[in-house]
Amino acid sequence: MAAQRSSAPSAAPDLPALGGRRSSYRERVADALRAALIAGELRPGEVYSAPTLAARFGVSATPVREAMLDLAKEGLVDTVPNKGFRVTEVSEKQLDEYTHIRSLIEIPTVVRLATTADPASLEALRPAAREIVTAAAAGDLIAYVEADIRFHLGLLALAGNSHLVEVVGDLRKRSRLYGLDALVRAGRLEASAREHLELLDALLERDERAVHAVMTRHLGHVRGLWAAP
């Protein structure tokens, strides 16, 4: 694990279900591995064996192997016979394209929620927003990414379009946020994490202009603050 992660990584059973769904043990292991990949703790081009990853995450090898096969189907890793799994490379152009598509979908969708979302449903997302801040303060990048995905997909789900959530979820899986580690070392990730609370407050105030500003700034970090290695 990266230096900021606890020397005793959390076991997958403690992971919350992403998107509010009930997850199997295998899915929760896959969520943790996917988050590690997005955060840059599993590096492109590197080959990782199931036993090595199992020891790293404090789980058994079988669900890790099964979860990595799921990630292979998503195109996030390639299988390497008799060795394990190689994390696939993602070009800067691809990352720019993913972020552009996300901005086209997420910004207007979230802005509309300022006038359509039920306040109680928005408040229900506050614990996830606080988890993001807590993880950032602790330098726990995997927990940060997991809570971030749960928050944003939960927010988009309030628009009532499951296909939209699926598309954005897929784009988020393919993203890479290699700059998070540097932000932790510089003590800057927590400030960025607090934008989730700022966004919720703007939504609850029905302030569409503020929501647009926060979302634009926030997504801008994907290829800005959060991208630099």
Side-chain angles (χ1 to χ4, degrees):
M1 286 299 185
Q4 288 75 25
R5 184 118 171 113
S6 167
S7 58
S10 298
D14 296 329
L15 296 177
L18 300 186
R21 59 178 169 78
R22 285 186 176 273
S23 299
S24 67
Y25 182 78
R26 169 175 170 170
E27 288 173 327
R28 282 180 284 168
V29 172
D31 288 339
L33 291 168
R34 192 181 292 109
L37 188 151
I38 292 170
E41 294 199 14
L42 300 182
R43 304 298 295 188
E46 293 289 324
V47 176
Y48 298 91
S49 70
T52 297
L53 290 172
R56 183 167 172 174
F57 284 83
V59 296
S60 60
T62 298
V64 168
R65 188 175 293 106
E66 293 173 343
M68 290 299 279
L69 289 172
D70 290 339
L71 267 59
K73 292 176 183 177
E74 297 173 11
L76 303 181
V77 298
D78 295 319
T79 57
V80 181
N82 303 317
K83 291 186 178 180
F85 303 87
R86 180 184 290 111
V87 177
T88 56
E89 302 273 356
V90 183
S91 70
E92 294 295 311
K93 183 176 185 294
Q94 286 175 306
L95 292 173
D96 287 340
E97 290 173 348
Y98 297 158
T99 304
H100 179 61
I101 297 169
R102 283 182 54 192
S103 67
L104 293 175
I105 297 173
E106 291 188 64
I107 293 174
T109 299
V110 175
V111 169
R112 281 195 295 273
L113 291 176
T115 57
T116 63
D118 173 54
S121 297
L122 291 170
E123 276 295 346
L125 293 169
R126 196 171 292 276
R130 288 176 176 148
E131 282 182 46
I132 298 169
V133 176
T134 299
D140 190 336
L141 301 185
I142 293 179
Y144 178 94
V145 170
E146 288 170 340
D148 182 72
I149 292 173
R150 192 165 68 254
F151 174 87
H152 283 284
L153 295 189
L155 183 61
L156 291 173
L158 299 183
N161 187 331
S162 60
H163 295 291
L164 181 150
V165 176
E166 183 178 350
V167 169
V168 173
D170 182 66
L171 291 169
R172 283 180 165 272
K173 291 175 187 176
R174 298 176 184 279
S175 296
R176 300 291 185 274
L177 305 174
Y178 297 143
L180 294 182
D181 188 60
L183 287 177
V184 170
R185 292 196 303 270
R188 298 172 62 194
L189 186 59
E190 187 175 355
S192 175
R194 291 189 179 280
E195 290 178 345
H196 298 84
L197 294 168
E198 182 184 355
L199 177 60
L200 272 184
D201 291 340
L203 285 165
L204 287 164
E205 291 169 5
R206 304 301 194 188
D207 189 337
E208 294 179 72
R209 181 174 296 182
V211 171
H212 187 280
V214 176
M215 277 299 297
T216 301
R217 182 187 348 128
H218 191 66
L219 278 179
H221 297 330
V222 175
R223 301 299 294 135
L225 283 177
W226 301 337

